[in-house]
Amino acid sequence: MTPVAIRAARILLVAAIVFALAMALNPRPPHLPIAVGDKWQHMAAFGTLTILSVAAFPQAPLHRIGERLSFLGALIEVFQSIPAIGRDCDVMDWLADTYVIVGVLIVVRIVRRPARGRDASTP
């Protein structure tokens, strides 16, 4: 990736994290026009964050990206347990976040791996 593309991915990642935090910590999040369950919203958010993280930090080890995003999901659940926020803490939400993070990272790893029998320097 070019430095400009990496910079753009980092800006998009920060914007997506801010948006995800705002939606997760808002006492009354807006209703979506499509009836989508809470777990699907979590998975969409963390799938997007994972893709943006991989693009924003292409040299970072994938397990570190997964670790930090999973920690962010756990931290959101801890904050949602604060009574003043008026949200519910659900460990299953964190597990859904982590499952989708791992799933996306597995796909990234498969795509990045050169095909067997092919020279890694060949496009």
Side-chain angles (χ1 to χ4, degrees):
M1 285 181 75
T2 67
V4 173
I6 292 171
R7 186 174 300 124
R10 288 180 180 173
I11 291 168
L12 288 172
L13 176 61
V14 169
I17 289 171
V18 169
F19 179 76
L21 287 173
M23 292 296 103
L25 301 178
N26 186 348
R28 288 179 303 237
H31 293 285
L32 297 176
I34 302 170
V36 178
D38 181 54
K39 300 293 181 278
W40 288 103
Q41 291 174 6
H42 277 265
M43 291 189 298
F46 277 88
T48 302
L49 292 176
T50 305
I51 292 167
L52 289 173
S53 295
V54 168
F57 299 98
Q59 300 302 320
L62 296 180
H63 70 277
R64 292 286 183 225
I65 290 173
E67 168 192 72
R68 289 172 179 145
L69 288 174
S70 180
F71 180 74
L72 176 63
L75 196 59
I76 286 171
E77 293 307 315
V78 168
F79 283 138
Q80 286 183 341
S81 71
I82 298 171
I85 292 179
R87 300 291 296 265
D88 293 327
C89 173
D90 185 359
V91 173
M92 297 308 289
D93 288 345
W94 171 67
L95 285 175
D97 300 341
T98 302
Y99 286 146
V100 78
I101 292 165
V102 169
V104 170
L105 291 177
I106 288 170
V107 171
V108 168
R109 177 69 179 121
I110 291 169
V111 169
R112 282 186 177 177
R113 180 178 299 166
R116 292 178 191 247
R118 192 176 80 180
D119 184 359
S121 63
T122 306

